[in-house]
Amino acid sequence: MARVFEGFYAGGSWKRTAKTFQDLNPANDQVWADVADADVNDVRATIQSAQDAFPAWAELPFTERAAYMLKIADEIEKRQGDLVAAIQGEGGGWFGKGMFEAGYVAGVFRAAAALSYAPIGEVMPSEHGKVSMAVRRPMGVVTVISPWNFPALLTARGFAFPLVAGNTIVLKPSEETPYSGGIFFAEVMEAVGLPAGVFNVVTCSRENIAAIGDELIENPLVKGISFTGSTAVGRMVAAKAGAHLKKCCVELGGKDSLIVCEDADLDKAAQAANFGSFMHQGQICMSVEKVLVNEKIYDTFLAKFVERAAKLKMGDPTTDKSNIIGPLINNKQAAQVKAQLEDALAKGAKAVLGGNINGRFVEPTILTGVTPDMLIYQNETFGPVVPVIPFRTDDEAVAIANDTEYGLSSGVMTGDEKRGLEIASKLETGISHVNCSSVNDEPHIPFGGSKASGVGRHGGRWSMETFTETRWITLDRGGRHFPPMF
């Protein structure tokens, strides 16, 4: 039976809308929930609620804001079962993925609480004897536009640090995951007694996204924007924010490589490739989308990789917890993956594993013979299809890895850490991991990419830098003299 939510959450209460939209389970097309479909007027009123709440929230002692973060973390843990069920039911996620995500989210708020006790500025020297300070202050209303693939994790990371810094939040989750990326957090904030208007959630259907997205960026009361999603949409968000001289942090797509050197532990490398390529059906911005393998161990590695991937069970994750490969999120995403796969096969690539597509279910697929003229070499796939490409030298591996407009994450597998660091230093990515998969995250680290993978960093003090204003304040003690003619 479909869930029915009371409305969207604004100013500390639930607001009903004239229309609702259906939130579907991507595994079976059943209606998972009926959700409030807000319009532009609803969003304007919500932004005003956040603005009204800002002064009191910003003036609250940092210790009290930190205490709220800890209460939020505890409440999330109490509701872990609800969140996991939503991650599976509306997002198509594997049970293990849901458990990881739910556990991670609580940690985001504890990291935010801890950061409240960190320095918020510095005292600088002054040749005039002033007490010269650079300090950080909250901006005001920050809007958060979050994605569907890791809806709870990426939403929490987008707003927890701006919130604890003293900003107020208006969140719009993806229409694919309105509960796990939005309504869930509204329920948590209401339960812990967060002051009215400090945190708000507006949900809307795909038909209203364009108008509401513009309002969330261009409304004069909005001072900062946090966006996680596709590069195409991120370019538009950043351009519109820039036109209004607003600060924004956009975390976008990736075409990430895992480089396997001939001296690597091949069992560990095969596991890293398997996890990195097929976790959540490859629907992760930092998924391994190219496995680059030294030609000396190519055949041995490929056999180990295929053997591991062949054991991944595919099916509806809501009916069987052992189904690791669930559905892609929607038909559009499945069509994109199918187009890339068919293009590669038509141009000479071979599927040494998988290759079959049934609706939104795509088998874990490993390709060989992939060349630069193929779509799957050039474009972000966001699905469980990955090429394995040989290389001769480390420089060649770096060149292949960098041969993309994206620059989010990367991994290097080698028995020589010095060699791994040398390779990592040449990769044009915001993130790189030696002897681990490209898929890595922690709440307090600087998460983000270069090139077309984004601008700015989420996480820890780097979020604080983005979503606060730096001010220079001095105290003059008689050392600065004015010219006598004045």
Side-chain angles (χ1 to χ4, degrees), residues 205-258:
S205 63
R206 185 173 282 108
E207 288 70 26
N208 285 340
I209 286 175
I212 284 179
D214 286 348
E215 188 69 24
L216 290 169
I217 298 166
E218 297 175 344
N219 186 297
L221 297 179
V222 172
K223 303 304 180 186
I225 302 102
S226 170
F227 174 83
T228 305
S230 71
T231 294
V233 177
R235 290 184 196 275
M236 293 188 290
V237 170
K240 289 177 180 179
H244 294 275
L245 300 178
K246 294 184 180 184
K247 297 176 77 173
C248 70
C249 184
V250 292
E251 194 271 291
L252 310 175
K255 192 69 180 176
D256 306 326
S257 292
L258 179 70

Side-chain angles (χ1 to χ4, degrees), residues 270-287:
Q271 187 175 25
N274 203 34
F275 170 79
S277 302
F278 302 126
M279 171 65 172
H280 197 41
Q281 300 81 262
Q283 297 177 123
I284 307 174
C285 55
M286 49 184 166
S287 287

Side-chain angles (χ1 to χ4, degrees), residues 23 71 116 143 196 205 238 440:
D23 177 14
K71 290 178 183 178
S116 298
T143 55
S205 63
N440 270 275

Side-chain angles (χ1 to χ4, degrees), residues 89-125:
E90 66 175 357
W94 164 52
F95 176 76
K97 183 257 191 187
M99 290 295 290
F100 161 76
E101 189 170 356
Y104 184 104
V105 169
V108 171
F109 291 94
R110 293 194 174 108
L115 197 60
S116 298
Y117 289 81
I120 59 169
E122 55 190 299
V123 177
M124 299 175 294

Side-chain angles (χ1 to χ4, degrees), residues 139-220:
M139 302 164 63
V141 178
V142 172
T143 55
V144 179
I145 304 172
S146 65
W148 50 261
N149 59 327
F150 269 76
L153 188 161
L154 297 178
T155 294
R157 188 174 67 193
F159 79 79
F161 297 100
L163 180 66
V164 81
N167 300 293
T168 53
I169 306 296
V170 177
L171 163 67
K172 189 208 79 65
S174 167
E175 73 281 3
E176 302 284 4
T177 51
Y179 181 78
S180 51
I183 296 169
F184 170 81
F185 289 104
E187 292 175 347
V188 168
M189 302 307 163
E190 186 177 49
V192 302
L194 199 70
V198 169
F199 178 84
N200 310 270
V201 178
V202 289
T203 54
C204 72
S205 63
R206 185 173 282 108
E207 288 70 26
N208 285 340
I209 286 175
I212 284 179
D214 286 348
E215 188 69 24
L216 290 169
I217 298 166
E218 297 175 344
N219 186 297

